[in-house]
Amino acid sequence: MAVDSHGTHNHGGCRTKSLAELASRLRGGERRLTGPRQAILAVLREAPHPLSSKEIHAALPRRECDPATVYRSLHLLEKLNMVQRFDLGDGVARFELQDPDGHDHHHHLVCRHCAAVVELDECDLDEFQQRVAAHSGFTLVSHRLEFFGLCPRCQ
Amino acid sequence: MAVDSHGTHNHGGCRTKSLAELASRLRGGERRLTGPRQAILAVLREAPHPLSSKEIHAALPRRECDPATVYRSLHLLEKLNMVQRFDLGDGVARFELQDPDGHDHHHHLVCRHCAAVVELDECDLDEFQQRVAAHSGFTLVSHRLEFFGLCPRCQ
DNA sequence: TTGGTTGCAAAGCGTTTGCACTTTA
DNA sequence: TAAAGTGCAAACGCTTTGCAACCAA
């Protein structure tokens, strides 16, 4: 599903070292490497697009853990910066594996009709964002940006 | 609260003709001009920033209508393009009066700590958005963009 | 009069939480 | 074994909906 031409990518870089990464990050925080956490990470590694908690739970090998555990694990992974949270417009939190070095800032293009998602590499907003920060006096400014449209099949 | 210097504005243009506008738009759609709808519109006209359904309800003169009616009215106003929906990052829908001609596309800067909101005039994304549309084959592309940071008082 | 609108209450949905039990280290 | 993690069930907050009563046109 990931479109690799046309300036999009598949976040393949995140998929290789995440398990070892998870283990070491957990140990650093006195957290434990458990079955559910590995399973959730495994699901996210295969996902070309952000997944909701429900989708992750449904994709678990034998639905082997409680939905509440999925939520708790995702919160943990988010705190460890191993996962990034998105809102693709429907108010449901979706999660995507994140490069540990945080160099994969990106946005999405979502079909308003069928909810298909295209991952976008590019982000033009640095200059705009710096202007916003300078004019407002705000610091540590970041942004959320998602595009919406009609995909070729739904037009 | 609206910051009018530094490239921000207060959306004053929306405040003048909205009631007559509402009446005529409603008539066009065989809808009725009721007390709750006028009251909600009056609240929105005074608001410098997007309001949640709960905030609107709390601001109604005598809390005179049911929360469910606020939700239903906001859906109607949104369908009539008289109100614009925003998500400022906390998953709660917020609404702001919209110019009937739709010429007030804008974004917000939200304090991560105290939730203060700055209205932003500028939007740089046309070129970026056109590139996204061209590369993906999507049509009718729009975007959602909000900035987050620490406001001067919270730093 | 009549069909759109409202109030009320209940339900829906994603998410969070309390608590006893289980598991990792 | 001790602290972290889990399952289960209940609760939560925002939002939607069914239905009978109400009211603008």
Side-chain angles (χ1 to χ4, degrees), chain A residues 142-144, chain B residues 86-88 107-109 144-148:
Chain A
S142 63
H143 62 264
R144 277 181 204 279
Chain B
F86 293 96
D87 178 351
L88 266 36
H107 304 287
H108 302 93
L109 169 58
R144 277 181 205 279
L145 167 66
E146 309 297 345
F147 292 91
F148 302 89

Side-chain angles (χ1 to χ4, degrees), chain B residues 3-93:
Chain B
V3 183
D4 290 308
S5 52
H6 307 139
T8 59
H9 62 180
N10 65 2
H11 295 268
C14 309
R15 293 182 187 163
T16 51
K17 37 183 176 172
S18 349
L19 219 162
E21 192 70 34
L22 173 63
S24 70
R25 294 233 188 179
L26 288 175
R27 287 189 201 105
E30 318 227 317
R31 319 312 281 277
R32 292 172 184 174
L33 182 57
T34 66
R37 288 175 184 173
Q38 295 182 53
I40 290 167
L41 200 64
V43 168
L44 288 173
R45 284 177 66 199
E46 299 304 319
H49 301 310
L51 296 182
S52 70
S53 187
K54 184 197 275 191
E55 290 165 337
I56 293 171
H57 183 252
L60 290 175
R62 308 185 293 100
R63 264 164 217 66
E64 61 206 293
C65 87
D66 196 83
T69 298
V70 178
Y71 283 107
R72 287 190 275 226
S73 298
L74 288 170
H75 283 156
L76 174 64
L77 292 172
E78 192 183 13
K79 200 162 59 182
L80 297 177
N81 286 316
M82 304 202 54
V83 136
Q84 210 173 337
R85 179 192 295 254
F86 293 96
D87 178 351
L88 266 36
D90 58 356
V92 179

Side-chain angles (χ1 to χ4, degrees), chain A residues 122 124-125 128 145 147, chain B residues 105 107 122-134 141-143 145:
Chain A
E122 192 188 1
D124 248 8
L125 265 63
F128 185 6
L145 167 66
F147 293 92
Chain B
H105 172 76
H107 304 287
E122 192 188 2
C123 178
D124 248 9
L125 266 64
D126 282 0
E127 197 189 327
F128 185 6
Q129 179 166 299
Q130 281 170 25
R131 227 177 305 134
V132 165
V141 177
S142 64
H143 62 265
L145 167 66

Side-chain angles (χ1 to χ4, degrees), chain A residues 19-33:
Chain A
L19 219 161
E21 191 70 33
L22 173 64
S24 70
R25 294 233 187 180
L26 288 175
R27 287 188 201 105
E30 318 228 315
R31 319 313 280 276
R32 291 169 184 176
L33 182 58

Side-chain angles (χ1 to χ4, degrees), chain A residues 2 4 7 22 35 45 69 73 75 97 112 130 149 155:
Chain A
D4 290 307
L22 173 64
R45 284 176 64 198
T69 298
S73 297
H75 282 157
L97 229 49
R112 270 189 284 262
Q130 281 169 26
Q155 284 162 26

